[in-house]
Amino acid sequence: MRSFLYQRATDPGMAVQALSAAAAANNPLTQAAAQPLAGGTTLIDLMKLDVMRPAAIVDINPLARGWSGIETGGEKLRLGALAKMSDVAAHADIQRHYPVIANSLRLAASAQLRNMATLGGNVMQRTRCSYFRDTSYDNCNKRIPGSGCAAMDGVNRMHAVLGTSDQCIATYPGDFAQALIALDATVEITGKSGTRSMPFAQLHKAPGNTPDIETTLQPGELISAFSIPRRWPRSVYLKARDRQSYEFALSSAAIALDVQDGMIRDARVALGGVATVPWRAREAESLLKGQKFDDGLARRAADAAFADAKGRQHNSFKISLGKRLVARALQQASTMEV
């Protein structure tokens, strides 16, 4: 691990100022010369691997006093960005009214990691692509812009089949983000100009021609909270992986249904483990709305969710796996007692 400057921020203004000042330096291996430290469960790993080389680390844990709240009053849910994954997953109101959120967090990692990791850090985690994480490979457009993508013709079993470009096929690795994008979450962002909000769906950037630019956050900005506008008690999160626990998804599905008198009034479908960013399957949602649920409808919705998928040599199996997982998640959601 390389040397770096450590700063401890005691309030949001100090954190933003420290991050903004350090970000003025140009360091293409980090996206910014300064990085915030919360749980640190991903950042420290990447620093040890020499993938990220921040000149400065700004410890934002003291901000937890104001940024770790869980507010469940009324229909709306608000989650502080520094809330621990384990605390949110165990919250009774979230388990009851937003089970897709509780399950996505519970299935995300080991208990030890969930006790350390924060919601904000979780949605900002970087890809687990082995070519990105192994600096012996010189051709990774995400790590070294313009160098190429070794995964294209290499071992790409874990890579994306949706949202890819000719520059990058790395998969977004998180679970919680799928629940957020499915439920139309809003993300609150604190920066030099104060606080702004935007749809969570606008936070992550598909690779396109600039796979090294992964989010729309500006230098010095921090995620401070997430908001969900309504309750979704009929919702599930399913995850297929190589082993039963503590593993990243080969495919996952976040499903939320609003069913009245046997008819689907509203439907949300999000996919994980198969796309370069948190993925909303709006074609599948449109097919479900206004219909009476049956197994045939579930299969057609699953086909629609993967209509634009493009597999490669080792990852084409994700398309059929993802379809089966979506259909199973829809069936489970449709039979939930709420």
Side-chain angles (χ1 to χ4, degrees), residues 66-303:
W67 285 12
S68 61
I70 302 173
E71 302 173 19
T72 60
E75 286 288 313
K76 187 176 180 179
L77 170 66
R78 188 177 189 275
L79 301 169
L82 292 182
K84 301 297 186 182
M85 292 171 62
S86 55
D87 292 336
V88 178
H91 197 284
D93 284 348
I94 294 174
Q95 290 178 354
R96 179 181 178 185
H97 300 301
Y98 312 90
V100 65
I101 290 178
N103 290 339
S104 71
L105 292 169
R106 181 176 57 83
L107 294 173
S110 68
Q112 293 89 339
L113 287 177
R114 294 197 304 271
N115 285 336
M116 289 184 62
T118 63
L119 301 185
N122 183 264
V123 302
M124 291 293 290
Q125 64 182 299
R126 307 191 70 183
T127 184
R128 312 301 289 196
C129 172
S130 56
Y131 299 106
F132 169 74
R133 294 171 64 87
D134 188 342
T135 56
S136 66
Y137 291 97
D138 294 329
N139 46 345
C140 172
N141 285 323
K142 192 175 285 292
R143 179 163 41 85
I144 310 173
S147 62
C149 176
M152 294 287 186
D153 299 313
V155 178
N156 46 44
R157 180 175 180 270
M158 296 298 293
H159 288 70
V161 298
L162 289 165
T164 61
S165 74
D166 60 0
Q167 300 293 308
C168 183
I169 58 172
T171 306
Y172 174 79
D175 296 289
F176 176 51
Q178 273 62 256
L180 290 175
I181 200 169
L183 303 189
D184 278 334
T186 297
V187 57
E188 178 185 287
I189 299 166
T190 298
K192 291 183 291 185
S193 301
T195 299
R196 65 185 178 97
S197 296
M198 69 178 181
F200 180 78
Q202 296 177 10
L203 176 64
H204 294 89
K205 290 176 62 68
N209 293 323
T210 54
D212 56 306
I213 302 175
E214 297 177 344
T215 75
T216 57
L217 292 182
Q218 298 301 308
E221 288 189 326
L222 288 165
I223 296 174
S224 46
F226 305 94
S227 295
I228 310 293
R230 56 172 286 196
R231 293 175 175 175
W232 288 89
R234 190 186 298 274
S235 60
V236 300
Y237 183 77
L238 295 186
K239 181 177 180 179
R241 43 195 171 176
D242 281 326
R243 58 187 182 190
Q244 185 62 29
S245 62
Y246 313 151
E247 183 61 277
F248 291 92
L250 294 171
S251 180
S252 66
I255 304 291
L257 298 178
D258 182 353
V259 180
Q260 294 291 331
D261 300 323
M263 302 297 291
I264 301 173
R265 296 200 311 178
D266 199 358
R268 307 295 174 84
V269 179
L271 310 176
V274 295
T276 55
V277 292
W279 194 263
R280 182 86 174 264
R282 295 187 181 276
E283 298 84 358
E285 296 174 359
S286 297
L287 192 150
L288 290 164
K289 292 176 184 178
Q291 302 296 315
K292 186 174 182 179
F293 185 84
D294 59 33
D295 291 347
L297 179 63
R299 290 192 295 270
R300 293 193 299 274
D303 288 340

Side-chain angles (χ1 to χ4, degrees), residues 2-5 19 21-35 43 47 50-57 126 132 142-145 212-213 219:
R2 298 169 184 260
S3 60
F4 56 88
L5 173 67
L19 289 168
N26 181 27
N27 187 341
L29 291 179
T30 65
Q31 296 192 76
Q35 291 290 326
L43 173 62
M47 290 173 64
D50 207 29
V51 173
M52 295 185 72
R53 305 172 182 177
I57 294 294
R126 307 191 70 183
F132 169 74
K142 192 175 285 292
R143 179 163 41 85
I144 310 173
D212 56 306
I213 302 175

